[in-house]
Amino acid sequence: MFPSYHKAPARLAIAIPLLVGTPSTPLAESLIDPEGPFRMGEGYADRPATDNRITLTITGRLAVVEWDGTLAHPVMCGERDVQVMCVTYSKEGRHVGDTVLFAGGYARYGARRIMLDPCLASPEE
């Protein structure tokens, strides 16, 4: 759970291997877009990232669904895992355990907290 938008334990180190595989695998190399800002190993990418928003798209089961009267905060994964929270305007009938697709502006809040804001949430298709 996200106790605060500004305070979250450092846990993202686990998320990167889950999202792209381990660096020593050929699969990880094939997932890196040569036109993107990421590179295997040391060195500069040919095309650096800019200040523009980076969007992350991810699918998973909901561990938490909160509503504060204005914004919904559905969260994928339990507190022991890397959690991804989607800041959106409606719960849209979603419940804990539902499988959903999130896509939104990526922001990191520690090693195990990722927030997507603004975010779209839809049923996985």
Side-chain angles (χ1 to χ4, degrees):
M1 191 67 192
F2 285 80
S4 166
Y5 292 116
H6 303 290
K7 297 178 183 177
R11 299 179 189 171
L12 187 61
I14 295 170
I16 300 302
L18 293 175
L19 295 173
V20 298
T22 58
S24 62
T25 65
L27 175 62
E29 290 178 15
S30 68
L31 291 176
I32 295 177
D33 180 358
E35 295 296 317
F38 298 102
R39 285 292 173 269
M40 296 299 296
E42 294 78 27
Y44 289 106
D46 295 332
R47 183 177 239 171
T50 65
D51 290 341
N52 296 331
R53 184 179 87 182
I54 296 172
T55 298
L56 172 68
T57 303
I58 186 170
T59 187
R61 293 193 182 274
L62 293 175
V64 176
V65 180
E66 292 184 349
W67 169 253
D68 67 10
T70 302
L71 294 173
H73 302 100
V75 177
M76 286 183 192
C77 305
E79 289 188 41
R80 293 181 173 204
D81 302 313
V82 176
Q83 290 187 301
V84 180
M85 179 172 65
C86 176
V87 179
T88 189
Y89 291 104
S90 173
K91 293 189 325 182
E92 297 180 2
R94 291 183 184 45
H95 302 285
V96 171
D98 290 353
T99 301
V100 295
L101 178 68
F102 289 168
Y106 174 88
R108 176 178 146 176
Y109 290 88
R112 290 196 181 188
R113 302 284 198 270
I114 297 170
M115 182 167 61
L116 304 179
D117 183 15
C119 179
L120 301 172
S122 61
E124 180 187 40
E125 298 188 29

